[in-house]
Amino acid sequence: MRIRRILAAVFAAAALAGLGLTSAATAATAATGSVTPASVTPGECTDNGGTIDRSTPVLPTCRGGMYDGQTVD
């Protein structure tokens, strides 16, 4: 009877620890994933190796660097 309680406690702790690890891994993946912003500032474009192309019809575009192809706000 005592062993059953101990085993139940061990399994419950392992299950809760597993849930904690999976949510922590999901949070870490979401934080480190590369989320590309809809638009960047002129400073962000040039600081990351790009140049501002103002010849595009609607909004200027960042060319080259980390934000290549993103609109400049």
Side-chain angles (χ1 to χ4, degrees):
M1 185 74 167
R2 189 175 200 179
I3 292 176
R4 285 185 191 174
R5 288 184 193 162
I6 292 172
L7 286 176
V10 168
F11 285 129
L16 290 175
L19 288 176
L21 289 176
T22 56
S23 61
T26 303
T29 303
T32 60
S34 62
V35 176
T36 307
S39 64
V40 295
T41 63
E44 288 174 331
C45 177
T46 56
D47 288 346
N48 289 297
T51 57
I52 300 170
D53 180 11
R54 297 188 189 280
S55 66
T56 54
V58 179
L59 291 173
T61 306
C62 185
R63 297 288 175 211
M66 184 174 162
Y67 297 113
D68 185 38
Q70 296 297 315
T71 58
V72 177
D73 202 9

